[in-house]
Amino acid sequence: MKLYILAIVFCVALASCSNGPSLSNSKFNEKVVSPNFTKPNIVMIVVDDLGWSDVGYNQTTDLFETPNIDMLAQQSLNFDNAYAGAANCAPSRAVLMSGQYGPRHGVYTVSPSARGDIKTRKLIPIKNKRGLSTEITTLGETLKTAGYTTGHFGKWHLGADPDEQGFDVNIAGSHQGMTFHYFSPYNLPNIEDGPEGEYLTDRLTAEAISWMKAQKEQPFFAYIPYYTVHTPYQAVLDRVEKYRNKGISNEKQATYAAMVEHMDTNVGRIMNMLKAEGLDENTLVIFTSDNGGYRMSSFPSPLRAGKGSYYEGGLRVPLLFRWTSKIQPGTKHTPVINADFYPTLQALSHAKSPTQPLDGIDLTPILMGHQQRASRDIFWHFPIYLQAHHAPTDQSQDPLFRTRPGSAIRSGDWKLIQYFENNDYELYNVTRDVGETVNVRDRYPEIFNELKARLSNWQQTIGADIPSQLNPMYDEAYNRRRSAEQSH
């Protein structure tokens, strides 16, 4: 009964808000940074496919070793309800670099959008764009209007190379979404091979450090989107053996743990350089992942599912903001999304406003301690299919796909997922049920109806493309049979 009363109170609070979500988020974008505020250097580290639980300060076991990231977390403002803009690589990076939700730029997945067995797809998905249009003003281009020099070191995966989209220096960035060789020779565009056996994460860190040292007399933006810890799983053998000895019998998963530790070592190299060069006090360091990690049996997580899924395990990511002279360390439970990085860094840098609309909010009131919570809705739209990765551990809605076409909204403690094929909905209280184990749609009809209306209003306002054309190759009996086979 108490829970039901709380739900009614929540509904009344929702009803007292505006009739629909504001795409401009203007009431959250107060200018709390004075014109005389020192422009910080910005170091943004984005790890590829690092799960929320795969860092020491979040993990439920002691298997991962990330001492440098754990120290960074102690010195940072930690957002424990932070989200990627999408559940896989390219669309999440598109949200980060454009400050816009998927329906605005059209990057929904890693092409193509029609993934999986054609006879199990009821709808024809929306066509996916392979990268950001050069007409979109990227975060790098916006920071240049504030006098920043910009450097890119790692994975871009957004179409045209980063030096065509706002970066003065580009090391290893291209349309390519992964490396096939972590040990040199890399055979990657825009980076020369190093000595045989050189490790790519080490090399990218060295390039970034050298560049930052050379730029320290002016404000700089170092964007370091590591290729690691994305597949293929390749690491130094002695580190792999270390994790085998810790009890991880699966070779790939032991290698993954070694890759996480190797990445952590390189984060430590960056932090040590900033201190040694006198850049520590006036450098904002952001650490995060582009999406959730692959779910692995060796590493238990309280979150459901993993990369490619729109459950928490596919979307929730580590997020740290460290600026020793300005940001007080601690933990914030405020739900945020990587679309927020763009307006936040624009405000901190005093950069010019782009002509395009931004869907994120300026987080500086929270970072500087002026505001405790940004009570707004967060949205995802994925009108595409993404096939299963490993059905026994995926924890998806069904065993054939990590996601079928749909949308989602996070509002307060609640998350609603809509599936377009049959207009199904799932409602979870992700504060009380972080593992999304119980669909409470029927238990809280008022909350369900309110969030359903908010999601529909957002879809209409932003012009979200919703697939409705039936796939003539779909075979319902075949779909059921294949699902049953994969469930056993």
Side-chain angles (χ1 to χ4, degrees), residues 327-403:
I327 297 175
Q328 184 71 27
T331 299
K332 291 292 183 185
H333 307 305
T334 304
V336 297
I337 190 168
N338 65 2
D340 298 334
F341 298 174
Y342 197 129
T344 301
L345 297 182
Q346 179 196 344
L348 288 174
S349 65
H350 306 293
K352 294 180 180 179
S353 298
T355 56
Q356 69 207 32
L358 298 179
D359 293 311
I361 66 169
D362 175 7
L363 297 178
T364 53
I366 303 171
L367 296 176
M368 305 304 170
H370 300 293
Q371 181 175 301
Q372 297 303 309
R373 185 178 179 87
S375 50
R376 47 77 193 247
D377 299 335
I378 292 174
F379 298 94
W380 297 271
H381 186 63
F382 45 104
I384 53 89
Y385 286 90
L386 188 60
Q387 76 277 19
H389 173 247
H390 183 240
T393 56
D394 277 350
Q395 295 186 341
S396 299
Q397 185 200 32
D398 72 73
L400 301 182
F401 293 90
R402 279 174 280 169
T403 181

Side-chain angles (χ1 to χ4, degrees), residues 57-89:
Y57 71 92
N58 275 343
Q59 69 176 299
T60 55
T61 73
D62 62 353
L63 289 176
F64 289 109
E65 296 186 17
T66 58
N68 294 293
I69 296 169
D70 296 348
M71 182 180 297
L72 179 63
Q74 293 174 6
Q75 301 166 352
S76 300
L77 190 58
N78 167 27
F79 288 87
D80 63 359
N81 278 264
Y83 289 99
N88 60 340
C89 308

Side-chain angles (χ1 to χ4, degrees), residues 7-22:
I8 296 297
V9 170
F10 180 83
C11 290
V12 171
L14 283 176
S16 67
C17 297
S18 62
N19 293 330
S22 169

Side-chain angles (χ1 to χ4, degrees), residues 265-276:
T265 299
N266 280 281
V267 171
R269 291 175 63 195
I270 293 170
M271 302 309 297
N272 289 338
M273 180 279 296
L274 292 175
K275 187 171 184 179

Side-chain angles (χ1 to χ4, degrees), residues 307-327:
K307 177 182 178 179
S309 168
Y310 282 76
Y311 294 115
E312 293 291 282
L315 290 171
R316 196 181 290 203
V317 293
L319 177 59
L320 305 173
F321 280 80
R322 176 189 183 268
W323 188 3
T324 55
S325 62
K326 298 292 187 298
I327 297 175

Side-chain angles (χ1 to χ4, degrees), residues 245-480:
N245 293 335
K246 290 187 75 171
I248 305 175
S249 59
N250 183 289
E251 183 74 18
K252 288 184 177 180
Q253 295 180 22
T255 305
Y256 175 78
M259 292 174 74
V260 171
E261 181 184 345
H262 206 140
M263 175 273 298
D264 175 83
T265 299
N266 280 281
V267 171
R269 291 175 63 195
I270 293 170
M271 302 309 297
N272 289 338
M273 180 279 296
L274 292 175
K275 187 171 184 179
E277 295 294 319
L279 297 170
D280 199 48
E281 290 294 311
N282 196 43
T283 298
L284 171 63
V285 177
I286 303 171
F287 175 87
T288 191
S289 174
D290 65 339
N291 46 250
Y294 284 122
R295 193 167 187 88
M296 300 182 185
S297 57
S298 298
F299 312 117
S301 170
L303 307 182
R304 179 175 176 177
K307 177 182 178 179
S309 168
Y310 282 76
Y311 294 115
E312 293 291 282
L315 290 171
R316 196 181 290 203
V317 293
L319 177 59
L320 305 173
F321 280 80
R322 176 189 183 268
W323 188 3
T324 55
S325 62
K326 298 292 187 298
I327 297 175
Q328 184 71 27
T331 299
K332 291 292 183 185
H333 307 305
T334 304
V336 297
I337 190 168
N338 65 2
D340 298 334
F341 298 174
Y342 197 129
T344 301
L345 297 182
Q346 179 196 344
L348 288 174
S349 65
H350 306 293
K352 294 180 180 179
S353 298
T355 56
Q356 69 207 32
L358 298 179
D359 293 311
I361 66 169
D362 175 7
L363 297 178
T364 53
I366 303 171
L367 296 176
M368 305 304 170
H370 300 293
Q371 181 175 301
Q372 297 303 309
R373 185 178 179 87
S375 50
R376 47 77 193 247
D377 299 335
I378 292 174
F379 298 94
W380 297 271
H381 186 63
F382 45 104
I384 53 89
Y385 286 90
L386 188 60
Q387 76 277 19
H389 173 247
H390 183 240
T393 56
D394 277 350
Q395 295 186 341
S396 299
Q397 185 200 32
D398 72 73
L400 301 182
F401 293 90
R402 279 174 280 169
T403 181
R404 291 179 184 259
S407 286
I409 175 176
R410 167 83 194 255
S411 184
D413 295 334
W414 300 89
K415 183 174 169 190
L416 182 71
I417 304 175
Q418 176 189 16
Y419 297 99
F420 297 141
E421 284 188 329
N422 301 306
N423 202 31
D424 292 333
Y425 291 86
E426 295 177 2
L427 177 67
Y428 300 98
N429 184 309
V430 290
T431 299
R432 294 198 296 262
D433 180 21
V434 70
E436 295 167 296
T437 60
V438 181
N439 178 7
V440 294
R441 164 188 166 170
D442 296 332
R443 193 181 304 174
Y444 299 106
E446 297 91 348
I447 293 176
F448 165 64
N449 287 327
E450 177 63 32
L451 266 60
K452 178 182 176 183
R454 283 172 171 257
L455 182 56
S456 176
N457 184 66
W458 175 78
Q459 291 167 343
Q460 294 175 41
T461 305
I462 203 170
D465 289 321
I466 296 177
S468 58
Q469 186 178 354
L470 295 177
N471 171 22
M473 299 294 292
Y474 175 69
D475 186 330
E476 186 170 353
Y478 176 84
N479 181 57
R480 285 200 303 267

